Amino acid sequence: MVLCALRQQVLRCSSHCRTWARLPQRQRSGCVYSSIHGFNQDEIKEKLQAFHGGSIDLLKQDSGIAVLTINNPSRMNAFSGSMMVDLEERVSQLENWPEGKGLIVQGAAETFCSGSDLNAVRAISNQQDGMKMCMFMQNSLTRLLRLPLISVALVEGRALGGGAELTTACDFRLMAAGSVIQFVHKHMGLVPGWGGAARLVHLVGSQNALKLLGGAVKVDPELGVNIGLVDGVLEGHQKAGGAAPLLQQAENWLSRYTKGPAPVIQAVKKVVLSGRELPLSEALRTEKDIFGTVWGAPANLEALASKSKHK
Ligand SMILES: CCCC(=O)SCCNC(=O)CCNC(=O)[C@H](O)C(C)(C)COP(=O)(O)OP(=O)(O)OC[C@H]1O[C@@H](n2cnc3c(N)ncnc32)[C@H](O)[C@@H]1OP(=O)(O)O
C-alpha cells in the first residue's frame, strides 16, 4: 500500500495536476505518517504555532528555480514551531508549481540552520509531543525530498542538528568554504528524528553515517566531498571580493541540470526518485508511466523536428 502511494506520488506531474489538486492534501502528499499511524496533523500544527519566531520564505522565480530561505537570524536560523508549520505550507506550494524545475534551500544572514529551536524543544520535551513533532517534520522533509524539482542545499556557516538533517532532504549539497555540517544530536542526548539518519545512510553508506553520528563529526567541505555528502564547494565568502554571491554561484551550478522544459526536468527527477525509493519492478513500471508523459509531448516533438545532433 505504501509503495502504491509512493508510486502515485512519483507519477504526479503537470498533466495530472488538475486531477491531483482535487484529492485531499494528505492523500496526495506522499507523507510517511497519516491518521492510520495515530498522527493528527492539525493538532500538532496548532501546538507548534504557539512557539513563534522567524519564518520560512519562498521565492518562486521565472527561471523555474525557487529559493527557500530559513529565516530566524537572531537564533542562528533555528526552527521555531511556527517555522515548522511554515515549512509544511511552503512544501505544499512547491508541490503545486507546474513551472518549477529547481529549488535552492538556504539560510538567512550567512548561516544555514542551527536545528530545532531549543526554547521550543524545552517546552515540548515530553515524549508524546516530541513524537508528534518528529512525525510532522519527517512528513515535511520527505515531501521536500520527493518534490518533482531538483533541489540543492546551499550551506553557508553552520548546519547543526536538525539543520544538518535538512541538508539531507535535498538532492544535492553545496558548501561554502569555511562552513560546517554537524550532526550534533549525540551531544544533545539525541539521535536524528527528522529522517536525517535514514537519508544519511543512503548518501554516505552506513560506515560513514555511523562515524558522523557516533562522533558528532564536524564535516568541512573537503571531508564532505570525500565521503560523498557534498557535491560542490563554492568559492569564498559572500562578502569576498571577486567571487559571485553564493546564491548566484548555487543557481549557476544548478542551472546545468534545470536547463530545458519543466515537464522534462520534472520527469527526470521522478524517474530518479522512483529508482531511489522503489523496488526494481515497481520502479520500472513507474518509469514506463513517466516515460508516457514525455513521449510525443511538445518538447519531444520539437526535438525530433529540429533533427538535433548530440555532438
Ligand atoms: C531533531 C532535531 C534536533 C536538534 O536540532 S537539537 C538542536 C541542535 N542545535 C544546537 O544545539 C545548537 C545550539 N547552539 C550553538 O551551539 C551555538 O549557538 C552556535 C549555533 C554554534 C552559534 O554560536 P555563536 O556563534 O557563539 O552564537 P550564540 O551561541 O551567541 O548564538 C546566537 C544566538 O542564537 C541562539 N541560538 C543558537 N542556536 C539556537 C537554537 N538551536 N535554538 C535556540 N536559540 C539558538 C543563541 O541562544 C543566541 O541567542 P542569544 O543572543 O543568547 O539570545
Side-chain angles (χ1 to χ4, degrees), residues 102-170:
L103 174 68
I104 296 172
V105 179
Q106 66 165 7
E110 296 167 19
T111 194
F112 188 73
C113 170
S114 65
S116 53
D117 183 333
L118 295 172
N119 303 300
V121 168
R122 279 178 206 109
I124 57 164
S125 61
N126 68 79
Q127 232 241 343
Q128 264 196 338
D129 285 347
M131 289 297 93
K132 288 175 188 164
M133 183 272 287
C134 162
M135 289 193 271
F136 185 79
M137 285 303 283
Q138 278 197 16
N139 272 352
S140 298
L141 294 184
T142 302
R143 287 168 57 196
L144 178 70
L145 186 58
R146 289 177 179 168
L147 284 172
L149 309 171
I150 300 180
S151 58
V152 57
L154 163 54
V155 181
E156 181 183 18
R158 293 185 178 97
L160 304 182
E165 296 192 61
L166 172 60
T167 71
T168 65
C170 292

Side-chain angles (χ1 to χ4, degrees), residues 153 155 172-176 221 224-225 229-235 253:
V155 181
F172 298 110
R173 279 141 297 281
L174 297 176
M175 283 182 89
V225 169
L229 180 63
V230 171
D231 302 281
V233 181
L234 302 182
E235 275 172 50
W253 187 92

Side-chain angles (χ1 to χ4, degrees), residues 241-271:
L246 289 176
L247 183 58
Q248 187 59 58
Q249 290 184 52
E251 290 204 37
N252 293 345
W253 187 92
L254 183 57
S255 65
R256 78 189 84 165
Y257 304 114
T258 54
K259 218 167 272 163
V264 179
I265 308 304
Q266 295 197 5
V268 167
K269 170 67 184 274
K270 285 171 191 165
V271 290

Side-chain angles (χ1 to χ4, degrees), residues 42-51 81 124 126 129 132:
D42 296 335
E43 182 202 13
I44 180 67
K45 262 182 148 177
E46 200 180 320
K47 192 154 265 184
L48 289 170
Q49 284 287 18
F51 304 101
I124 57 164
N126 68 79
D129 285 347
K132 288 175 188 164

Side-chain angles (χ1 to χ4, degrees), residues 171-192:
D171 298 310
F172 298 110
R173 279 141 297 281
L174 297 176
M175 283 182 89
S179 55
V180 169
I181 299 175
Q182 189 180 11
F183 293 84
V184 295
H185 304 74
K186 191 183 110 173
H187 293 327
M188 302 297 296
L190 291 172
V191 292

